Amino acid sequence: MRLEPIENPTMARKVLPVVLALVTTIVIASLLASVAGANPFSVLGLILKGAFGSKFAILETLNRATPLIFTGLAAAVAFRAKFWNIGAEAQLYAGALVTVVLGTGLLPWPSFALLPLLAIAAILAGAVLLLVPALLKTRFGVDEVVTTLLFNFIFLLFISMLLEGPLKDPMGMGWPKSARVIAEARLPRIFEGLRVHWGFALAIISAVAIWVIQTRSTLGFEMRAVGLNKDAAAFAGIPVNLVLVKTALLSGGLAALGGFSEVAGLKGSLTLDLSPGFGYTGIIVAMLALLNPIGVIVAALFVAGVFVGADSMSRAADVPTYLADIMLATALLLVVLAIMLTRFRVVRD
């Protein structure tokens, strides 16, 4: 048996394997629910109800999806150019750190000036953090998978040190957390009295902007060219290393916006558990979306719905929430296989 490339796959060939992968994921999750002693149809219904069955559930899903859109975009942008950014978690915390440092009273400006400044500062922080692995890759050939992954642990330890030291809230009753950002540094709610904030709108705008960049700009063309064939791109005169650095700056800035959104829009302060793995889950989101920026929105809502729905389902059906992790891991593996089947066919020799 061997794999034979498909030169011009049809739309059905592109879509059908992905749909089958998601259906298979649901079937596997149902079987696991049965093993856990629950009715699989009841479990799936509870997940849907917990994620989208009420106004509160929908708002919680949108809030959970917001940072996932940012980290999913960060991964999608980087992976499109074959720059494997596994460090979105650190970049998210970098954006959160800058937001807290500048937003807790250091700059007592009105919201219309302070919020854009905090967003820009967060973008710069995430971009600079990813610039180091990018330069190590382009100058010395260091594998960015290793450097970006290690940066996650290094930066989280750095955050822990700050929260136990200079950033520790003296009014926090001993808990390792920062002081809360001032009112002028908080993102307003989209609808008065509801939890969903303008960070979600910023995430949607960012996804559209990235789609425009990838499909309508020279940089987007260069990123795709470098991702498809780096040597051919260099032969055509594209500055490969410069494109990788630009890609890294854009990817790091997007992930850092997730940290800005979580602090300024939802949490109000920095804690070590600000992110329950948004940076890593963003990779799943990007892969489920097939690296499409608009698809990232849909994939983030799906993943957020699974997590929020699983929490509700666990309380109602006494099934472990780990079922959600298994569903997402299975979905990722099957979608990767589906992507391969959209480009290759299996041929028997």
Side-chain angles (χ1 to χ4, degrees):
M1 295 178 63
R2 59 185 175 84
L3 295 177
E4 182 179 273
I6 302 174
E7 294 186 1
N8 296 306
T10 63
M11 182 58 66
R13 183 83 189 191
K14 293 179 180 179
V15 175
L16 188 59
V18 177
V19 173
L20 289 176
L22 296 178
V23 171
T24 304
T25 300
I26 294 174
V27 172
I28 292 174
S30 300
L31 293 175
L32 291 173
S34 299
V35 172
N39 184 320
F41 297 104
S42 174
V43 165
L44 294 176
L46 288 172
I47 291 177
L48 285 174
K49 182 179 179 181
F52 304 104
S54 66
K55 181 187 293 186
F56 175 81
I58 292 173
L59 295 180
E60 286 302 304
T61 300
L62 294 181
N63 280 330
R64 181 69 70 94
T66 299
L68 292 178
I69 294 175
F70 285 119
T71 56
L73 288 173
V77 165
F79 291 2
R80 179 68 69 184
K82 294 293 194 299
F83 183 85
W84 309 111
N85 177 19
I86 315 297
E89 190 82 353
Q91 295 138 33
L92 182 145
Y93 273 97
L97 175 61
V98 170
T99 303
V100 164
V101 170
L102 299 179
T104 50
L106 182 63
L107 299 175
W109 295 354
S111 292
F112 71 86
L114 183 57
L115 283 172
L117 175 66
L118 293 179
I120 293 172
I123 291 171
L124 292 175
V128 169
L129 192 63
L130 191 53
L131 179 61
V132 176
L135 292 178
L136 288 174
K137 175 182 175 66
T138 55
R139 294 297 180 90
F140 305 106
V142 179
D143 189 349
E144 72 276 17
V145 173
V146 176
T147 52
T148 55
L149 180 61
L150 291 179
F151 259 70
N152 289 335
F153 301 101
I154 294 170
F155 203 80
L156 280 173
L157 288 172
F158 176 64
I159 293 292
S160 179
M161 181 195 72
L162 292 177
L163 293 179
E164 292 286 359
L167 286 185
K168 190 171 185 178
D169 184 8
M171 304 298 292
M173 301 181 67
W175 291 99
K177 67 174 185 176
S178 73
R180 297 184 66 83
V181 296
I182 60 177
E184 290 77 10
R186 297 299 301 268
L187 285 167
R189 301 289 191 255
I190 295 179
F191 303 105
E192 192 64 32
L194 301 179
R195 278 169 52 86
V196 63
H197 53 84
W198 279 99
F200 178 75
L202 179 61
I204 301 299
I205 293 170
S206 299
V208 174
I210 295 301
W211 178 81
V212 172
I213 290 173
Q214 288 191 344
T215 60
R216 299 290 188 271
S217 73
T218 302
L219 175 60
F221 171 79
E222 291 175 340
M223 290 165 59
R224 295 198 307 274
V226 170
L228 290 171
N229 193 316
K230 183 170 62 175
D231 295 332
F235 183 79
I238 295 175
V240 173
N241 287 343
L242 181 59
V243 171
L244 288 176
V245 170
K246 290 180 180 178
T247 300
L249 294 175
L250 183 58
S251 176
L254 285 166
L257 275 178
F260 159 75
S261 171
E262 282 297 282
V263 170
L266 197 61
K267 303 296 178 60
S269 62
L270 176 60
T271 58
L272 200 59
D273 60 351
L274 176 74
S275 167
F278 290 135
Y280 300 108
T281 309
I283 297 173
I284 299 177
V285 170
M287 296 303 295
L288 290 177
L290 304 181
L291 307 185
N292 184 297
I294 305 302
V296 164
I297 300 174
V298 179
L301 289 172
F302 168 75
V303 172
V306 169
F307 278 128
V308 173
D311 290 339
S312 175
M313 174 272 300
S314 177
R315 294 189 296 269
D318 196 26
V319 174
T321 57
Y322 293 119
L323 182 64
D325 298 324
I326 296 174
M327 286 180 64
L328 293 178
T330 305
L332 176 61
L333 292 174
L334 292 177
V335 166
V336 170
L337 177 62
I339 292 172
M340 184 190 72
L341 293 178
T342 62
R343 300 176 181 176
F344 300 90
R345 63 168 59 92
V346 180
V347 178
R348 292 186 178 182
D349 292 326

